[in-house]
Amino acid sequence: MDELVVLKLGGGLITEKSELCTLKPGVINKLAKLISKLTGSGYRIILVHGAGSFGHLKAKKWNLHEGYIEGFKPDDNDEFSKQSEVVESVRNDMMLLNERVVNSLQSFGIQTKSFPPHEWATGVGRNFSGNISIFENNDEYIPVTFGDVVNCNDGTVFGILSGDDICYRIATEMGANHMIFAMGGAPGLMTKPPSMPDSKLIRIWSGDMEFDGEHVSNIDVTGGIYLKLDCAKLIALEVPNVWIVDGEQPTRILEAILSGDTIGTKIIT
Ligand code: IPE
């Protein structure tokens, strides 16, 4: 068996999204254990993680998602004096988050190799430039990458490349068998914002079903659930088993992969 699984760990799953650079170590460890089970069962894995509070908060405050703006300053002061310093700072924060994820995997005996996007990718959105063949799986390690601040050649100078767009490229170009978006705070795609009491899980989503998503635009500089769904429906055209599941319940990730059935949202075309 050498089926390929692309697993995206959402930033809201592995970090406390509203508290700057705060991890959820217990969740990260549970997920690392799950990944060790999958590799032990012979699955090849490519891991992509999001940013959560290691990326969105500073990026939003300094408008990094809109690219270089001459003389830009936020309304309230912090330790930075210009956007280029924040670009460096967010890249460093992302490297730190990546190190914590990778350390947890290593504690379960998993070898990894990290590929920070600011070193291999240019441009944002699904059509970013970058050589996806660096993820060609190798029996010795799990390749790991993440959402990042990347350089752009279109005059914006820099921008935010989401892990969801990276998943689209990896899953479609590398012929993945499974694409699992693990997120926090909900069992899958919901009919209404998950905080509403009458919100219900959508078990199967085909791209034309209505839903009322919650996009926390004061925190999120990528597209939240909308970007995830855009990517997921395009991935489902080529990848047979595409899911959005609650990553705080790792057994659901396992079930989705092993049996193609679990509590979560299966994305179909
Ligand atoms: C965002 O990446 C990257 C930065 C803000 C630097 P993602 O779009 O993959 O992150 P999450 O999953 O929403 O946190």
Side-chain angles (χ1 to χ4, degrees):
M1 137 121 59
D2 65 346
E3 290 186 5
L4 175 62
V5 178
V6 180
L7 176 60
K8 162 89 195 278
L9 305 180
L13 170 64
I14 58 172
T15 77
E16 298 289 352
K17 232 180 158 174
S18 51
E19 286 167 48
L20 189 62
C21 297
T22 308
L23 283 172
K24 289 192 195 160
V27 176
I28 295 174
N29 285 334
K30 273 201 293 196
L31 291 160
K33 189 171 175 192
L34 170 268
I35 292 167
S36 75
K37 273 194 193 154
L38 286 169
T39 53
S41 307
Y43 288 94
R44 291 180 296 133
I45 307 219
I46 299 176
L47 186 64
V48 181
H49 65 78
S53 57
F54 286 68
H56 291 280
L57 300 176
K58 281 182 198 167
K60 176 82 188 175
K61 182 169 180 186
W62 282 86
N63 250 33
L64 301 191
H65 52 300
E66 288 177 11
Y68 174 68
I69 302 167
E70 206 187 325
F72 180 86
K73 288 255 193 289
D75 293 338
D76 52 332
N77 287 333
D78 56 18
E79 75 259 42
F80 305 109
S81 59
K82 50 181 191 251
Q83 281 181 313
S84 58
E85 292 174 5
V86 188
V87 168
E88 283 312 305
S89 173
V90 173
R91 284 177 178 164
N92 289 337
D93 290 347
M94 288 307 300
M95 300 284 272
L96 206 66
L97 172 60
N98 178 252
E99 191 180 305
R100 301 298 289 270
V101 170
V102 155
N103 284 348
S104 176
L105 287 164
Q106 276 164 359
S107 75
F108 287 91
I110 300 169
Q111 299 307 312
T112 61
K113 186 167 176 186
S114 293
F115 297 91
H118 67 263
E119 292 174 3
W120 62 271
T122 311
V124 300
R126 274 192 290 281
N127 297 322
F128 69 87
S129 306
N131 180 11
I132 299 299
S133 70
I134 55 174
F135 294 98
E136 252 155 35
N137 240 341
N138 166 321
D139 292 342
E140 280 148 44
Y141 59 80
I142 291 187
V144 185
T145 190
F146 46 85
D148 202 2
V149 188
V150 295
N151 293 337
C152 296
N153 292 331
D154 62 355
T156 54
V157 186
F158 51 77
I160 307 287
L161 177 59
S162 170
D164 294 348
D165 287 316
I166 299 175
C167 286
Y168 165 75
R169 293 286 294 278
I170 295 177
T172 56
E173 291 181 27
M174 304 232 8
N177 306 83
H178 310 269
M179 173 73 235
I180 312 290
F181 291 96
M183 57 177 210
L189 178 64
M190 308 298 288
T191 51
K192 295 188 176 164
S195 51
M196 291 178 71
D198 55 345
S199 175
K200 289 201 182 66
L201 174 65
I202 298 173
R203 303 290 297 243
I204 297 180
W205 190 74
S206 66
D208 51 6
M209 290 173 195
E210 292 272 310
F211 74 99
D212 175 7
E214 187 176 71
H215 179 56
V216 191
S217 62
N218 61 338
I219 292 182
D220 212 319
V221 291
T222 47
I225 189 73
Y226 296 102
L227 175 65
K228 206 173 291 307
L229 285 169
D230 267 357
C231 291
K233 75 183 177 207
L234 290 175
I235 294 169
L237 293 170
E238 295 178 49
V239 174
N241 199 30
V242 182
W243 285 85
I244 297 178
V245 296
D246 180 357
E248 299 207 28
Q249 311 282 340
T251 50
R252 294 184 188 170
I253 300 177
L254 201 63
E255 285 168 2
I257 295 168
L258 298 182
S259 71
D261 189 22
T262 192
I263 297 172
T265 303
K266 175 151 190 181
I267 312 293
I268 59 166
T269 51

